[in-house]
Amino acid sequence: MKDYYKILGVKENATKEEIHEAFRRLALKYHPDINKNIPQYVFKDINEAYRILSSDELREEYDKKYFSIHQKVKNKRKTIIKYTDDPNIFYKDNRGDKFNDFLNKKNGI
């Protein structure tokens, strides 16, 4: 799913005016008649983002999908962080702390 907010460079809570201003700025910068070095899909993505975010109905539908996907990603990140908070996780296994036992024997502790 394309991130239309990122394409237009606006926040998720942007007003219609902010979305319109961002679109106008990007349209002038990336229009194929003005800037022939930019691929056409860039301008098409900008138009698509503006079309979706400027319509109340389409934006509401997009936001439901967008935020549900991003919430799932945030939950996965929290889970990853939760399991890697312990710095010793890489030295332990189910049979005990073999790594530290090895270091302690080697150092005479």
Side-chain angles (χ1 to χ4, degrees):
M1 173 178 255
K2 293 180 184 177
D3 187 344
Y4 294 137
Y5 294 105
K6 190 173 183 177
I7 290 171
L8 292 181
V10 296
K11 295 180 181 179
E12 284 112 7
N13 61 350
T15 63
K16 280 190 170 190
E17 291 79 24
E18 292 170 330
I19 291 169
H20 183 72
E21 288 173 15
F23 169 73
R24 296 276 300 160
R25 181 177 34 83
L26 293 171
L28 288 173
K29 184 176 181 179
Y30 294 110
H31 195 281
D33 291 341
I34 296 172
N35 195 341
K36 299 193 185 302
N37 297 328
I38 302 295
Q40 283 189 353
Y41 70 84
V42 173
F43 188 68
K44 288 179 181 179
D45 285 349
I46 293 167
N47 275 328
E48 183 181 355
Y50 178 68
R51 184 180 64 80
I52 298 294
L53 296 182
S54 64
S55 166
D56 291 333
E57 295 162 2
L58 295 175
R59 184 176 181 180
E60 184 179 344
E61 185 179 323
Y62 172 77
D63 283 348
K64 286 178 186 176
K65 293 176 186 176
Y66 175 82
F67 288 116
S68 71
I69 289 171
H70 285 279
Q71 188 58 41
K72 289 177 185 176
V73 170
K74 285 180 184 177
N75 289 342
K76 285 183 182 179
R77 286 184 188 151
K78 286 179 185 176
T79 303
I80 292 169
I81 292 169
K82 178 181 173 185
Y83 289 114
T84 59
D85 281 345
D86 181 8
N88 295 319
I89 194 167
F90 302 107
Y91 307 116
K92 295 179 181 177
D93 62 16
N94 292 337
R95 295 168 288 181
D97 197 350
K98 300 287 185 188
F99 186 75
N100 280 333
D101 290 345
F102 171 76
L103 287 178
N104 290 340
K105 285 180 187 176
K106 187 172 184 176
N107 292 330
I109 298 175

